[in-house]
Amino acid sequence: MLLSVIIVNYKVRYFLEQCLCSVSKAIAESGLATEVLVVDNNSGDGSIEYLQPRFPFVRFIANTENTGFGKANNQALALTTGQYILFLNPDTILPEDAFQSCITFMQTHPDAGALGVHMIDGCGQFLKESKRGFPSPWVSFGKMSGLIKLFPTSRIFAGYYLGHLPENESHAVDALSGAFMLIKKEVLDKTGGFDEQFFMYAEDIDLSYRIQQAGYVNYYFAGCTIIHFKGESTRKDAKYVQLFYKAMIQFVRKHFHGTASRLYILLLETAIRAKARLTKRNTSHTQHSDTEQQPVLLLTGDPNSKQFLKDHFNGQVTELAAHSTAEVLCQGALFSFKAVIQQLCIQAHANETFIYSAGAGSLLSSPSKESQGRVIVLENHPF
């Protein structure tokens, strides 16, 4: 087996469905021997029952409790047979050439230990966490003090997101995102998998750090763009802020020592309190109402998928841009996932944009990376 894909799911069955649609196409186009393992962390929403009949090539593993991101990934890692391991989030959509292009890059860079890719959110905006520096005290100070926003391309002040490195060029970087993290199995045999003391967050930074310490290079590969809806498994509330910064404190205690480390931890603890208060005040503004009016939809993409949605909505869908409030990018035989991703990049922020994968049970959008996205479930769909 050349490639093993590991996905940990928690209560995002519709996002995972479209992710697996794209994974299936990427496997077919690459022709690479690939296995896919999905660990469900006790979602309790019927994820496995809903998805297993549609994706028989996937090995589903049902946990009876939420064991956390790192532990669930390691659980699947122990069962893999691939030479390359891809840790992939369920709220992602891949282009058809993702596997071939990424593995080719790894094969032509013998020093590569791990690889991350160019990620965009559901609005088509570049996600800066696609490439990151390690959160040393100074790097983190630049981020938390706001200097990174004042000097977004500074090597000195924007080190957290490596703002001095262009997003459209591939680079050696420090830390990769666990949303898409391709790693050689021989590297993981030396470093071990995720550190399970991190229940959620910072485990990808920790693994990136250990890979680099083992003498390998982490690469940001600009030649592959994926959608990461981001935040669909977790709400951006006070609990999220607390978990994130506590994970960062764990990372600091593990890898940094001395006075600077103690001051850094104090800074992080202060940030937890400040950001939790701010997030609590703003939470009400980032939630979507289940009773809000359905938008008028502009359909773009595959003719068959467009016709299916027109029939489903009984003609209440318009293709007239002048009257649209949202757009649906319709994947299908004549409009690939890569075309969906490219179109999303072109029209970033023009309208709220939904994505529909041929045969899927829903339309998905994520108008803000700070809040959960919108799911329009298609009743009586084929699956």
Side-chain angles (χ1 to χ4, degrees), residues 34-72:
T34 305
E35 61 183 355
V36 181
L37 297 85
V38 170
V39 182
D40 183 75
N41 257 342
N42 195 31
S43 293
D45 64 351
S47 287
I48 293 181
E49 294 82 359
Y50 174 73
L51 295 169
Q52 197 164 35
R54 170 119 198 252
F55 302 101
F57 66 92
V58 176
R59 179 175 181 179
F60 288 92
I61 302 165
N63 284 342
T64 56
E65 61 179 329
N66 184 358
T67 61
F69 179 81
K71 189 170 184 177

Side-chain angles (χ1 to χ4, degrees), residues 334-368:
L334 299 179
F335 199 75
S336 65
F337 283 109
K338 187 163 188 173
V340 167
I341 294 168
Q342 290 172 338
Q343 186 66 25
L344 188 60
C345 289
I346 292 171
Q347 64 187 40
H349 296 296
N351 292 306
E352 179 181 7
T353 304
F354 289 85
I355 293 176
Y356 172 70
S357 302
S362 66
L363 308 179
L364 307 177
S365 82
S366 184
S368 170

